[in-house]
Amino acid sequence: MESPQRLRIQGNENLQRMMAGAMFRKVKSRSSKKQRHFKLKEDCATVGYQSSWTKMSNSSFSVCDVEVVREGHQSEVLQSLAHEFAAECCFTLVFRGRRGNLDLVAETAEEAQAWIQGLRALMENMESMDERERLDQWICDWFVKADKNKDGRMNFKEVRKLLKMMSMDINEQHAMLLFKTADKSQSDTLESEEFVEFYKMLTERKDILALFQEYSSDGQKLSVCDLEDFLREEQLEGDTSQQHAIELIDRYEPSDNAKKGQAMSIDGFLMYLCSPEGSIFNAEHQGLYQDMSQPLCHYFISSSHNTYLLEDQLKGPSSVEAYIQALKRGCRCVEVDCWDGPSGEPIVYHGHTWTSKILFKDVIASVANYAFKVSEYPVIISLENHCSVEQQQVMAKHLSNILGESLLKSTLDGRVPSELPSPQDLKGKILIKGKKIGGIEDNLDEAQATLTGEVSDEDEAAEIDKDSLPPEETSQGEKNSKQSLCKELSDLVVYCKSVHFGGFEKSRETGKPYEMSSLSESKARKYIKEAGTEFVQHNTRQLTRLYPSGMRTDSSNYCPQDMWNVGCQIVALNFQTAGTEMDLNDGLFNQNSSCGYILKPTFLREYENAFDPDRPQDSGNYHPKKLIIKVVSGQQLPKLSKKEGSIVDPLVRVEIYGVPQDQSKQETKHIDNNGFNPLWNESLLFTIHTPELALVRFVVEDYDMGMRNDFIGQYTLPFTSILQGYRHIPLLSKDGTSITPSSLFVHIQTTDLA
């Protein structure tokens, strides 16, 4: 069976070489450089690699998981070995999610180029596939897996095994009936086209068929009027026109005859519902739809904590790759912990721990290269400065030289600001957050001074149990907590001056718009509990940065929602740690073109509003909603266990995150032995008191009566970005990457509550 990927790249010489295979050095470090044989598999979608001494496959990766191919010495490992391996023989595969890079060295520059160009061609083709071609590719992959003897046919035994692999347990008599119906050649085997027919019968969407027939005038097709009725009554597209219905038919109907008759078949209807236009996420919110001209403090800002770490904050590796990954995910505030290093060069790592060390100048170079790849709006470098005056001067020099014109060194208009500038005003600019000698007023007067004060508002390393520290670091932790600040570094701090938080009253009386404070999660929770409304008011005028407790040595995260509820802008999370907390962060920031800035609701921007998250009903902006989610069905949920014959027992849980009154969870019953096409048809009802702050998280789990359920996939989005009607929800892995074609099919209805 020819895969769509292979059909589209036939005749490509690079692909022919890749399918023949090649030897590469797989480089992990200076001491780990092992020979491996890499080969593109017949599906043209998977690369397998073997060791030099055995023919058994060690591992593989899917081409669709590769985000980018870098040529030459474009990784820390390959840069460190530049003297040993020529740049033209080196390349790096960067994967989506949190999977580490794959650094490879070819035997010749020609071989390297064949793979670089070949992989890029495959990736480009994958990206350009439509929904039908992606599904065909997926079917092809299963056919190849099930065809164990590689004869291009499948007998019934192979088909039964395939159904188990696909996490589906159906009656053997029913499976045999489908098999015989598809076996047109009566050979007791299925050839590729027969297998496609078998698959279509197997995957018949009865839920979609019932919906189709409900709106079809003749039970066979949807006329333009039928489709208009569906769009208006179910999808609640009030301004639906005849022209829009015709456009959908032209876009999604596969039959030319149906198109000519201006009608949509069941196949076209299914393609429409599975398309981006049938997604739960409002397409208008995917683009840049918010006002970007308000002061910085009026936005939630995607922010990373301990950005240099790839793993935990006690022993994990530090890497510039962590900055690259965060910036590519739309992060707009990165943290840099700076310490005195050897040879006069400042280093970055988590102080007083076993985390590895990287050069400050390399970190700044990575920020310079990737700051504006996915968003043109400003990046804030949050400096945690533990350096001597001498190495602070080196830091200032590196910041100026490496960042160049993108580094903001003075106010935009040369005046002392009465409010912060906007993301629009600061496009393409990098701001430094840190301690500052005096204020902007003094800086403009060229004041000469030296500040002596606390080392840091957020010396999280000091919170770590000293018994867990390296011996040589424990003594460093005892050092004097006072520090001098050099003027060169101080002058680079403009709109983000770090100040100790002295309480809301002091902030109200003497706080300046360019002053900001950093608070630990525990201090923030204390203020939220004791003075939530004052916290909201403070955040209408000034920036607040929150960070996880230093006791989180595993780099776990706190729930950011509580902090967003009071308008905190820079809620820093460990981007390297997957979980619910990062799902919420991704869910909030995936809107507005994923630019890293989300405009806060009106009641969090107006000082006079006095919004209280604990009592949203007291707000003048109180507009509660009723949310009804009918979980209809699931499609191709992945099997988690490698155990032979294991099948998923899926359930769906809907979680609401928002103000305290909105926090709730409900779930469906589980479906026994069917991860392939489970059908729930269960409705879940929620009351949303503050829809402007609510996030909705759909979670699919594999039910286990005796143990904790296994995570299958999730999808999180803002309540305000949800479209009503019948919608498909694409599922994401723990890493936030797509697990196509896995999805949920739901019906959404929202109504106003009086």
Side-chain angles (χ1 to χ4, degrees):
M1 183 179 185
E2 291 275 39
S3 75
Q5 177 79 324
R6 185 165 186 174
L7 287 169
R8 291 170 69 142
I9 48 83
Q10 281 181 345
N12 187 309
E13 292 183 9
N14 292 329
L15 273 295
Q16 301 303 321
R17 291 186 66 157
M18 291 175 67
M19 294 181 77
M23 293 298 297
F24 293 103
R25 285 186 183 272
K26 182 171 173 278
V27 183
K28 285 190 173 182
S29 66
R30 291 187 180 187
S31 58
S32 178
K33 297 166 280 191
K34 298 178 180 177
Q35 290 274 9
R36 292 287 183 265
H37 186 264
F38 284 74
K39 184 177 180 179
L40 179 64
K41 295 187 177 181
E42 291 183 3
D43 62 2
C44 285
T46 311
V47 175
Y49 48 99
Q50 305 166 334
S51 72
S52 56
W53 51 271
T54 177
K55 294 299 181 185
M56 293 184 65
S57 177
N58 287 338
S59 192
S60 65
F61 62 84
S62 173
V63 173
C64 64
D65 289 336
V66 181
E67 185 174 8
V68 70
V69 182
R70 299 185 197 153
E71 295 185 53
H73 301 143
Q74 290 200 58
S75 74
E76 288 170 293
V77 172
L78 291 177
Q79 284 173 1
S80 70
L81 295 168
H83 64 285
E84 187 174 344
F85 300 119
E88 57 267 24
C89 293
C90 299
F91 61 101
T92 300
L93 305 187
V94 180
F95 293 95
R96 302 179 194 280
R98 293 172 176 81
R99 179 174 176 175
N101 294 349
L102 183 58
D103 292 312
L104 299 174
V105 182
E107 294 181 347
T108 66
E110 184 184 12
E111 192 70 60
Q113 274 302 308
W115 277 74
I116 290 167
Q117 299 304 325
L119 282 167
R120 286 174 176 168
L122 290 172
M123 292 160 60
E124 188 177 338
N125 275 309
M126 286 280 193
E127 288 293 324
S128 61
M129 280 186 187
D130 60 26
E131 291 301 316
R132 177 175 287 273
E133 288 174 318
R134 288 179 192 276
L135 187 59
D136 287 347
Q137 179 69 47
W138 189 77
I139 298 171
C140 175
D141 292 345
W142 280 115
F143 184 89
V144 171
K145 287 177 186 176
D147 184 19
K148 295 298 183 184
N149 59 9
K150 305 300 178 187
D151 64 351
R153 299 168 177 268
M154 280 200 298
N155 57 36
F156 186 68
K157 184 178 180 181
E158 287 176 316
V159 167
R160 286 287 293 148
K161 198 163 187 177
L162 168 65
L163 297 182
K164 292 282 187 182
M165 291 165 66
M166 294 174 118
S167 196
M168 189 174 188
D169 187 18
I170 66 172
N171 179 277
E172 188 160 341
Q173 287 182 315
H174 179 58
M176 177 59 83
L177 177 63
L178 295 180
F179 182 91
K180 288 185 174 180
T181 304
D183 181 20
K184 305 293 185 186
S185 60
Q186 298 184 340
S187 61
D188 291 329
T189 60
L190 298 182
E191 297 178 11
S192 60
E193 296 305 317
E194 292 172 333
F195 175 70
V196 171
E197 185 62 31
F198 170 78
Y199 173 83
K200 283 186 175 180
M201 289 188 288
L202 188 69
T203 58
E204 183 181 45
R205 292 285 302 273
K206 293 179 180 178
D207 50 347
I208 301 291
L209 182 60
L211 187 60
F212 177 83
Q213 290 178 337
E214 182 182 344
Y215 279 88
S216 172
S217 301
D218 60 5
Q220 302 296 314
K221 65 182 182 301
L222 291 177
S223 66
V224 171
C225 289
D226 294 339
L227 185 54
E228 276 187 272
D229 289 343
F230 172 77
L231 295 172
R232 183 175 56 256
E233 295 172 19
E234 296 291 354
Q235 307 302 74
L236 299 183
E237 297 181 12
D239 57 350
T240 295
S241 64
Q242 185 180 65
Q243 183 58 35
H244 179 51
I246 293 171
E247 287 172 359
L248 290 180
I249 291 170
D250 287 341
R251 199 172 300 143
Y252 298 110
E253 176 52 52
S255 166
D256 289 336
N257 287 334
K259 278 185 185 179
K260 288 176 183 176
Q262 292 193 337
M264 182 176 273
S265 67
I266 180 64
D267 287 341
F269 189 55
L270 177 59
M271 288 186 70
Y272 153 66
L273 287 173
C274 291
S275 75
E277 290 185 80
S279 170
I280 191 172
F281 197 101
N282 187 341
E284 292 180 4
H285 287 195
Q286 290 179 331
L288 193 72
Y289 74 100
Q290 294 185 333
D291 177 10
M292 303 302 288
S293 64
Q294 300 200 29
L296 279 183
C297 56
H298 287 184
Y299 296 84
F300 295 125
I301 303 172
S302 181
S303 306
S304 166
H305 172 251
N306 290 349
T307 315
Y308 45 88
L309 291 178
L310 288 171
E311 297 171 13
D312 70 83
Q313 64 184 44
L314 191 61
K315 300 178 182 178
S318 303
S319 172
V320 297
E321 287 295 333
Y323 286 91
I324 294 170
Q325 290 175 18
L327 290 166
K328 282 163 63 175
R329 291 178 69 176
C331 179
R332 297 288 88 188
C333 181
V334 297
E335 184 182 20
V336 185
D337 287 10
C338 311
W339 301 80
D340 280 356
S343 306
E345 283 291 345
I347 54 174
V348 174
Y349 80 114
H350 200 266
H352 316 314
T353 68
W354 281 288
T355 59
S356 63
K357 303 171 175 67
I358 52 178
L359 291 175
F360 175 79
K361 63 181 179 181
D362 290 345
V363 168
I364 301 307
S366 69
V367 173
N369 290 332
Y370 287 88
F372 306 110
K373 294 283 188 185
V374 300
S375 172
E376 58 188 346
Y377 293 103
V379 168
I380 300 170
I381 296 178
S382 178
L383 290 181
E384 181 154 342
N385 175 16
H386 301 269
C387 290
S388 63
V389 170
E390 292 76 18
Q391 293 210 12
Q392 288 178 42
Q393 290 170 338
V394 177
M395 288 167 58
K397 181 180 176 182
H398 287 326
L399 287 167
S400 295
N401 291 346
I402 296 171
L403 299 179
E405 291 299 314
S406 63
L407 178 63
L408 188 79
K409 297 181 180 179
S410 62
T411 56
L412 294 176
D413 57 5
R415 298 177 182 176
V416 178
S418 58
E419 65 178 14
L420 288 169
S422 70
Q424 183 73 29
D425 295 332
L426 293 167
K427 270 186 181 180
K429 290 297 181 183
I430 297 175
L431 284 62
I432 304 300
K433 170 202 163 283
K435 295 288 188 180
K436 184 174 181 64
I437 301 167
I440 290 180
E441 302 88 343
D442 304 315
N443 194 51
L444 295 174
D445 293 336
E446 293 297 320
Q448 299 292 324
T450 300
L451 174 75
T452 300
E454 296 178 359
V455 170
S456 172
D457 279 340
E458 51 196 272
D459 187 0
E460 301 132 35
E463 299 178 39
I464 296 175
D465 183 354
K466 290 179 182 177
D467 292 337
S468 67
L469 299 179
E472 68 274 15
E473 297 287 358
T474 307
S475 59
Q476 289 186 27
E478 310 285 349
K479 71 179 183 178
N480 195 319
S481 63
K482 298 295 182 181
Q483 177 194 42
S484 294
L485 181 68
C486 83
K487 183 176 185 300
E488 293 88 342
L489 189 59
S490 167
D491 284 351
L492 298 182
V493 176
V494 183
Y495 291 118
C496 299
K497 177 187 176 181
S498 294
V499 297
H500 175 73
F501 185 68
F504 296 118
E505 184 177 352
K506 182 181 178 183
S507 166
R508 207 163 40 241
E509 293 174 355
T510 63
K512 297 180 173 63
Y514 58 81
E515 293 178 338
M516 61 181 292
S517 302
S518 291
L519 301 173
S520 68
E521 58 176 288
S522 56
K523 284 185 180 178
R525 291 191 192 285
K526 178 176 178 289
Y527 288 129
I528 291 170
K529 184 178 180 180
E530 295 177 355
T533 300
E534 285 188 276
F535 211 164
V536 170
Q537 291 176 321
H538 171 81
N539 288 324
T540 63
R541 303 185 313 257
Q542 291 176 257
L543 292 169
T544 302
R545 179 180 182 269
L546 305 181
Y547 59 89
S549 164
M551 298 304 293
R552 294 182 180 270
T553 53
D554 59 350
S555 288
S556 59
N557 282 309
Y558 55 88
C559 180
Q561 186 67 53
D562 301 331
M563 319 306 182
W564 292 329
N565 288 343
V566 291
C568 293
Q569 303 88 352
I570 302 178
V571 181
L573 298 177
N574 292 302
F575 270 47
Q576 72 274 25
T577 306
T580 302
E581 299 80 13
M582 274 307 299
D583 293 343
L584 296 176
N585 196 77
D586 290 342
L588 176 66
F589 288 102
N590 275 343
Q591 60 179 317
N592 206 33
S593 195
S594 299
C595 75
Y597 286 84
I598 301 299
L599 187 64
K600 295 194 292 187
T602 306
F603 53 80
L604 292 181
R605 307 195 308 262
E606 296 177 346
Y607 183 86
E608 300 78 14
N609 196 284
F611 175 74
D612 182 354
D614 287 328
R615 293 191 57 80
Q617 62 270 25
D618 294 344
S619 169
N621 292 279
Y622 183 60
H623 302 293
K625 300 272 188 181
K626 181 168 74 172
L627 170 64
I628 302 174
I629 299 175
K630 183 179 182 181
V631 181
V632 180
S633 62
Q635 292 75 46
Q636 289 90 47
L637 305 178
K639 186 174 74 168
L640 302 170
S641 174
K642 303 288 184 183
K643 187 177 178 182
E644 185 77 22
S646 66
I647 295 179
V648 172
D649 303 324
L651 63 83
V652 178
R653 184 170 61 255
V654 177
E655 304 172 347
I656 308 295
Y657 294 84
V659 297
Q661 290 183 35
D662 289 341
Q663 305 276 4
S664 60
K665 300 178 182 181
Q666 293 183 44
E667 64 185 35
T668 67
K669 64 179 181 296
H670 70 274
I671 305 293
D672 286 326
N673 295 330
N674 188 355
F676 193 74
N677 56 0
L679 198 65
W680 289 280
N681 277 321
E682 287 188 55
S683 292
L684 309 176
L685 173 63
F686 300 91
T687 297
I688 312 293
H689 295 275
T690 311
E692 299 92 339
L693 285 172
L695 292 169
V696 182
R697 183 172 184 254
F698 296 85
V699 186
V700 183
E701 291 182 343
D702 182 9
Y703 174 77
D704 192 315
M705 183 172 65
M707 299 176 68
R708 186 176 180 177
N709 295 347
D710 289 324
F711 174 89
I712 293 176
Q714 69 83 32
Y715 190 76
T716 307
L717 77 166
F719 174 86
T720 52
S721 294
I722 289 178
L723 287 176
Q724 298 191 70
Y726 283 97
R727 304 290 171 182
H728 275 96
I729 301 173
L731 291 178
L732 306 177
S733 69
K734 282 185 179 179
D735 274 347
T737 56
S738 173
I739 48 176
T740 303
S742 301
S743 64
L744 294 176
F745 187 52
V746 300
H747 183 269
I748 304 289
Q749 182 182 356
T750 64
T751 55
D752 293 330
L753 286 175

